[in-house]
Amino acid sequence: MEYNAEVFLNKAKKWGKEMSALREIVIDCNLTEEMKWGKPCYSFGTSNIVLIHAFKDYCALLFFKGALLTDSKSILIQQTANVQGARQIRFGDLSQILEMEATIKSYIYEAVQIEKSGLKVSFKTTSEMAFPQEFQIKLDEDVSLETAFGELTPGRQKGYLLYFSAAKQPKTRITRIEKFIPKILAGKGLDD
């Protein structure tokens, strides 16, 4: 059996009705449906517009370029401080989705117009990101580490900075940094 959005939604133990309603709304906006990242994803041409996903306390419609939407109803949510372009509309029950159908469609149509116009999300550069103090100290102490980190691709640099920063305790940050110094010196990313 082919794994598609319908199979995914039928297997959903929680939020199945809500995600099915979202699917109907999105399909009515003439977007192409595919499964990406294990979730129903909808595109215009070759560009992803929205994704339907669920969490413990809500299901959501994620707009890939949500940061560029007008958000006239102030309903878009940035999942975490590190998410730069995507935004969610979160739903707690089916009635909320049905009441918001016209608004949801207007946001989808605006997202398609943004895609047609060629607008791009302006992502932070690595230099604009916060360097954990413990990592900055290591870079200041070791010129070869600083050089190696500077030669990594921006994506690899961001990956390390986000991973190091995610630790709440200084001790954990130091442990993470120490563990990955050899990979940085070898020019590799977190998952290489």
Side-chain angles (χ1 to χ4, degrees):
M1 174 166 44
E2 182 183 345
Y3 187 67
N4 58 33
E6 204 167 319
V7 171
F8 171 81
L9 295 171
N10 286 335
K11 287 185 173 186
K13 291 182 175 131
K14 190 171 183 183
W15 305 111
K17 291 178 190 167
E18 290 82 1
M19 289 189 296
S20 292
L22 286 171
R23 177 181 186 237
E24 288 179 31
I25 292 168
V26 176
I27 287 174
D28 198 40
C29 294
N30 297 315
L31 298 179
T32 303
E33 180 179 73
E34 298 177 74
M35 290 298 291
K36 293 185 179 179
W37 308 284
K39 309 282 185 264
C41 183
Y42 302 87
S43 59
F44 174 79
T46 59
S47 301
N48 295 326
I49 302 294
V50 294
L51 178 106
I52 297 172
H53 56 167
F55 298 88
K56 180 181 175 186
D57 297 327
Y58 62 90
C59 68
L61 194 61
L62 177 121
F63 289 82
F64 287 89
K65 291 185 178 179
L68 300 178
L69 292 171
T70 307
D71 195 17
S72 59
K73 303 284 186 184
S74 300
I75 56 175
L76 292 175
I77 297 169
Q78 183 177 0
Q79 285 176 276
T80 69
N82 294 325
V83 175
Q84 295 181 50
R87 298 293 184 271
Q88 292 179 330
I89 301 176
R90 294 180 180 174
F91 305 96
D93 61 50
L94 183 59
S95 64
Q96 184 185 11
I97 294 167
L98 299 176
E99 288 170 14
M100 292 180 64
E101 181 174 352
T103 300
I104 294 166
K105 284 183 176 181
S106 72
Y107 276 59
I108 292 169
Y109 292 136
E110 183 183 357
V112 170
Q113 288 307 313
I114 286 169
E115 203 54 54
K116 284 180 178 178
S117 74
L119 286 174
K120 304 274 185 219
V121 174
S122 187
F123 293 104
K124 289 180 186 175
T125 62
T126 306
S127 62
E128 295 173 306
M129 295 180 72
F131 276 66
Q133 181 181 6
E134 298 83 358
F135 187 52
Q136 188 62 57
I137 290 168
K138 290 286 185 189
L139 294 174
D140 293 342
E141 292 173 351
D142 186 343
V143 175
S144 62
L145 179 62
E146 181 180 30
T147 301
F149 186 76
E151 290 174 353
L152 292 173
T153 64
R156 286 180 172 148
Q157 290 176 356
K158 288 178 187 177
Y160 280 119
L161 293 176
L162 291 172
Y163 180 67
F164 297 157
S165 298
K168 292 180 174 45
Q169 300 290 325
K171 181 180 175 184
T172 308
R173 285 192 292 275
I174 291 167
T175 302
R176 287 181 179 188
I177 292 163
E178 293 290 339
K179 178 180 176 182
F180 284 98
I181 285 175
K183 284 187 101 169
I184 294 170
L185 292 171
K188 296 182 184 254
L190 271 173
D191 299 320
D192 292 342

